[in-house]
Amino acid sequence: MTTPALLPLTGRRIPPLNLGPPSFSHHRATLRLSEKFILLLILSAFITLCFGAFFFLPDSSKHKRFDLGLEDVLIPHVDTSKGEKDIGGFLIHGQGHDEHRHREEEERLRNKIRADHERALEEAKEKLKKSRETIQAEIETEKNKVAEEIKKKETKPLPPVPLPNLIGINGGEPEDEDTREKREKIKEMMKHAWSNYRKYGWGHNELKPIAMKGHSTNIFGSSKMGATIVDALDTLYIMGLHDEFKEGQEWIDHNLDFSVNSEVSVFEVNIRFIGGLLAAYYLSGQEVFKNKAVQLAGKLLPAFNTPTGIPWAMVNLKSGIGRNWGWASAGSSILAEFGTLHMEFVHLSYLTGDPVYYQKVMHIRKLLQKMDRPDGLYPNYLNPKTGRWGQHHTSVGGLGDSFYEYLLKAWLMSDKTDIEARKMYDDAIEAIEKHLIRTSNGGLTFIGEWKNGHLERKMGHLTCFAGGMFALGADGSRKDKAGHYLQLGAEIAHTCHESYDRTVLKLGPEAFKFDGGAEAVAVRQNEKYYILRPEVIETYWYMWRFTHDPKYRQWGWEATEAIEKYCRVRGGFSGIKDVYSSAPAYDDVQQSFFLAETLKYLYLLFSSDDLLPLDHWVFNTEAHPLPVLHLANTTLSGNLDLR
């Protein structure tokens, strides 16, 4: 799942230096001479200013030392009769120092500065004799040298780590021909989405399939980080599209660069990029994915530099400066964002032997355990400076959803040894069932939103993941309630299917109400869109795995046909602005999670259970599979004990 579309931020970029030719060719030579003349004037003024500063400085002999930003100058000891301090054969200038010697030292420094300035001026004159193209080439060469040095530092070898037992990373061929044909159709849809991104949006974060060009949002910052490439890798691998997988791997190896002046969402970059890279590493064994994941994780760590250790929502990858979304309650961080780091960060510590990642997420958990929770519920907002809750708003949809998911999956990923995480999950689900889950007049089970003690009878598309979560957590639940939670998962799946079935296009809206006569339908115009979201299909897949009830494949195929009919365009797949309209308008965005999640879950729904079996793999909230870590009696990388 991903949080709802976030409010756009005003991006401020420094315009690039334009070294290309001027617009009017007949002024070209004149402009070059003018530019050189101006540059010489600037250099001359700078040198004059420097000399003036030195010659008009007050007599520094009246001060304790002549300070050029250097440490005290060490001079060989000659005479200590005037009270200087003698340390190890050297004289340290201090009170009572030799004024004559000090003036000599000043003059020597002045002469050196004069010589340096004259040399710099000569170099500037020589530089200006060169053509624009030569200067540009020299700048590019220097940039490449610096980039290579940074790359060498970042690619230092990681400690060897034994891979977990990886089972079911390919195959999954269904037995009957009809299911095989449906599976192949979904694979063809993936090829259509990928090939058009490859053709029109390569390197961009996402694709505008109608305009046929690249697209990005503020969650990825201002840089071309290839979000779709990273997000789609494991889906390509699972589907056996190895040529396309290699295309993505080569781009990542040569082009994916995190040393950029770009502000990104910590949450989105973690679940899409780090999760995607880790999954690609485990599936393929290619070291480049692991190395890139570790490089990126290091860029996210400054986001945790807050008084409480609760990370900022956004961080600049270059400067490390963090901040929160302007629209969040009282400058708060968001539960679903800082609570959806555990899986990826534990794997980072496992692969690197560095406990820092594990410590960051465990610190968050310990802090949350100490806090009072109104009605046993976790509010969606927490201030990273004060450690206090913001607005008392609780949701299992956007702003809250994946926090609960990761409590359960932390337990599953630890081979069910992380009892603390399981207890937190069980406590949270009991409070949610008591305060948020209701049955409508028409008999539909839904999960509302809790706002300051009042239940809002509204459910979001994002909340529909919870049906799969309840089924996944049924085994191991308290008081032998496994059957109860599996049934609850089935009821949520049914409600979410109704939200699809009650639209004209048979695709679900972003949010739907249960007020009065309106049940499982969107009321507001701004809630009627479908942006290729996966959550309903995700629940179908989990329910299929645990029950093998054929209706889940039937519902999944209905959604597949609707996506193919209404969302497919010549340049890929697009979201729809109104699922209740018989003549829908497109939003012209092919979301990266469509390739990472929606198509992957559909493919798995029509595959046999031996493909990525759930007792060996745990899917992060972006559907990137990570292996279960059997840690009960082991240390990580030989020196890291996560028990």
Side-chain angles (χ1 to χ4, degrees):
M1 288 79 52
T2 54
T3 53
L6 299 172
L7 298 181
L9 300 178
T10 302
R12 289 184 290 274
R13 303 187 197 178
I14 298 173
L17 180 64
N18 182 11
L19 293 175
S23 302
F24 302 100
S25 58
H26 62 281
H27 286 315
R28 193 170 297 166
T30 306
L31 285 174
R32 281 187 181 173
L33 290 174
S34 300
E35 288 167 3
K36 292 181 180 180
F37 181 69
I38 290 167
L39 186 54
L40 280 171
L41 280 176
I42 293 169
L43 284 170
S44 301
F46 175 73
I47 293 166
T48 303
L49 181 64
C50 290
F51 278 125
F54 276 104
F55 288 119
F56 288 99
L57 280 172
D59 185 359
S60 57
S61 63
K62 297 175 184 175
H63 302 280
K64 289 188 178 179
R65 75 177 192 184
F66 178 57
D67 191 352
L68 286 175
L70 306 171
E71 297 299 322
D72 286 312
V73 181
L74 297 179
I75 301 175
H77 170 58
V78 177
D79 183 6
T80 60
S81 62
K82 297 181 181 178
E84 295 94 338
K85 297 177 183 177
D86 184 7
I87 300 178
F90 284 86
L91 178 85
I92 299 182
H93 282 207
Q95 290 183 346
H97 64 268
D98 187 337
E99 185 173 323
H100 177 68
R101 188 181 301 279
H102 193 98
R103 290 184 180 280
E104 285 182 349
E105 183 61 27
E106 284 185 7
E107 187 61 30
R108 186 185 70 78
L109 287 169
R110 281 198 182 98
N111 290 336
K112 182 178 184 304
I113 290 168
R114 285 192 193 97
D116 288 344
H117 282 167
E118 288 172 5
R119 185 171 62 254
L121 184 58
E122 288 301 316
E123 288 177 358
K125 289 178 180 177
E126 289 299 316
K127 183 76 73 175
L128 289 172
K129 292 177 183 178
K130 298 177 181 179
S131 68
R132 188 187 295 257
E133 291 75 17
T134 303
I135 294 172
Q136 189 172 4
E138 288 178 355
I139 292 171
E140 197 62 33
T141 300
E142 288 302 315
K143 282 170 60 180
N144 290 337
K145 283 181 182 177
V146 172
E148 279 300 314
E149 289 173 7
I150 293 172
K151 192 172 182 181
K152 285 177 183 176
K153 289 178 183 177
E154 289 181 340
T155 54
K156 61 181 181 181
L158 295 169
V161 179
L163 283 175
N165 188 21
L166 304 179
I167 293 174
I169 61 175
N170 46 46
E173 187 79 10
E175 294 181 0
D176 63 289
E177 185 177 349
D178 180 62
T179 307
R180 283 198 299 271
E181 288 177 359
K182 290 173 178 173
R183 188 178 187 243
E184 281 301 309
K185 175 57 185 175
I186 295 159
K187 183 175 177 179
E188 185 277 328
M189 292 168 70
M190 179 69 180
K191 290 172 74 172
H192 179 69
W194 174 265
S195 63
N196 279 286
Y197 168 77
R198 178 73 177 84
K199 186 175 182 179
Y200 301 115
W202 193 240
H204 288 270
N205 289 313
E206 292 173 320
L207 171 68
K208 293 179 78 68
I210 297 172
M212 297 182 185
K213 62 181 183 180
H215 170 73
S216 191
T217 62
N218 58 325
I219 60 174
F220 302 120
S222 57
S223 298
K224 291 168 61 176
M225 292 175 62
T228 293
I229 299 173
V230 180
D231 232 0
L233 278 172
D234 51 7
T235 307
L236 294 170
Y237 191 93
I238 292 162
M239 290 183 175
L241 298 173
H242 296 301
D243 290 341
E244 290 84 349
F245 180 87
K246 284 195 172 297
E247 287 177 343
Q249 178 179 338
E250 288 174 7
W251 186 90
I252 286 169
D253 193 15
H254 296 108
N255 301 102
L256 187 54
D257 178 21
F258 304 122
S259 58
V260 290
N261 185 18
S262 190
E263 189 181 51
V264 301
S265 162
V266 174
F267 162 72
E268 297 287 356
V269 165
N270 176 62
I271 66 172
R272 302 195 201 204
F273 282 82
I274 293 180
L277 290 165
L278 290 175
Y281 166 67
Y282 282 119
L283 291 170
S284 70
Q286 298 297 312
E287 292 284 320
V288 61
F289 301 127
K290 176 174 71 174
N291 292 334
K292 291 287 186 180
V294 173
Q295 288 172 25
L296 177 55
K299 298 285 187 179
L300 297 186
L301 286 179
F304 292 82
N305 295 335
T306 66
T308 60
I310 297 294
W312 299 113
M314 309 283 285
V315 69
N316 186 294
L317 294 177
K318 188 171 186 178
S319 69
I321 295 172
R323 68 179 179 90
N324 276 340
W325 300 106
W327 50 263
S329 171
S332 292
S333 298
I334 296 167
L335 183 69
E337 296 193 340
F338 66 77
T340 309
L341 302 166
H342 189 97
M343 291 180 65
E344 297 82 3
F345 274 45
V346 167
H347 273 276
L348 286 166
S349 282
Y350 173 75
L351 292 171
T352 64
D354 188 343
V356 65
Y357 306 104
Y358 175 76
Q359 290 166 352
K360 295 294 185 189
V361 292
M362 289 304 295
H363 175 81
I364 293 171
R365 181 190 291 184
K366 298 299 183 187
L367 187 146
L368 290 175
Q369 285 179 318
K370 294 176 183 177
M371 296 186 66
D372 291 330
R373 298 191 301 280
D375 299 304
L377 299 168
Y378 289 91
N380 290 336
Y381 299 106
L382 180 62
N383 191 298
K385 293 181 179 179
T386 65
R388 294 174 182 165
W389 297 118
Q391 177 188 2
H392 285 185
H393 173 207
T394 296
S395 170
V396 185
L399 307 179
D401 49 11
S402 46
F403 165 71
Y404 307 101
E405 175 189 0
Y406 268 40
L407 290 176
L408 173 63
K409 290 182 175 179
W411 176 69
L412 292 168
M413 197 180 73
S414 71
D415 197 23
K416 301 181 180 179
T417 60
D418 188 350
I419 305 302
E420 184 179 68
R422 178 74 210 209
K423 180 183 183 304
M424 290 178 71
Y425 170 78
D426 288 334
D427 289 345
I429 294 307
E430 286 179 5
I432 286 167
E433 191 167 9
K434 179 179 179 181
H435 295 289
L436 273 63
I437 298 180
R438 297 288 184 271
T439 302
S440 73
N441 294 334
L444 296 177
T445 301
F446 68 94
I447 308 174
E449 297 191 9
W450 192 254
K451 292 187 176 179
N452 294 315
H454 170 72
L455 182 67
E456 186 177 6
R457 298 170 68 86
K458 168 181 147 183
M459 187 169 173
H461 193 291
L462 289 162
T463 318
C464 286
F465 92 97
M469 179 180 72
F470 292 143
L472 185 62
D475 184 25
S477 57
R478 292 172 178 166
K479 303 174 185 176
D480 297 322
K481 294 178 73 174
H484 167 73
Y485 283 113
L486 192 61
Q487 177 61 29
L488 182 58
E491 291 171 8
I492 297 297
H494 173 66
T495 297
C496 292
H497 174 257
E498 286 298 306
S499 78
Y500 274 51
D501 202 44
R502 297 181 186 192
T503 70
V504 172
L505 306 186
K506 305 303 178 185
L507 292 169
E510 181 68 7
F512 40 97
K513 297 271 183 102
F514 296 87
D515 280 335
E519 293 201 356
V521 295
V523 176
R524 297 178 180 175
Q525 188 60 40
N526 64 358
E527 295 174 341
K528 295 181 179 181
Y529 61 87
Y530 172 70
I531 56 171
L532 306 172
R533 286 205 188 275
E535 289 76 22
V536 174
I537 294 163
E538 175 184 356
T539 279
Y540 293 166
W541 173 61
Y542 278 113
M543 294 307 303
W544 164 258
R545 279 283 177 103
F546 289 113
T547 69
H548 282 184
D549 187 328
K551 71 182 178 187
Y552 296 114
R553 278 185 167 171
Q554 176 192 334
W555 292 351
W557 188 244
E558 289 173 4
T560 304
E561 290 183 312
I563 292 169
E564 174 73 4
K565 182 175 181 180
Y566 296 110
C567 299
R568 183 169 182 146
V569 295
R570 189 165 67 89
F573 289 87
S574 170
I576 298 292
K577 292 182 178 180
D578 186 346
V579 293
Y580 298 95
S581 170
S582 56
Y586 296 111
D587 67 8
D588 196 18
V589 179
Q590 180 175 282
Q591 305 277 350
S592 79
F593 56 68
F594 177 66
L595 293 82
E597 300 184 76
T598 310
L599 292 175
K600 183 188 285 128
Y601 283 131
L602 282 171
Y603 187 79
L604 290 170
L605 179 60
F606 293 96
S607 299
S608 60
D609 293 358
D610 59 350
L611 180 59
L612 299 173
L614 291 174
D615 51 348
H616 290 276
W617 296 90
V618 184
F619 288 72
N620 89 335
T621 198
E622 190 78 357
H624 296 306
L626 299 175
V628 170
L629 295 175
H630 302 275
L631 304 177
N633 298 304
T634 63
T635 57
L636 302 187
S637 302
N639 62 3
L640 181 64
D641 190 349
L642 297 194
R643 285 172 290 169

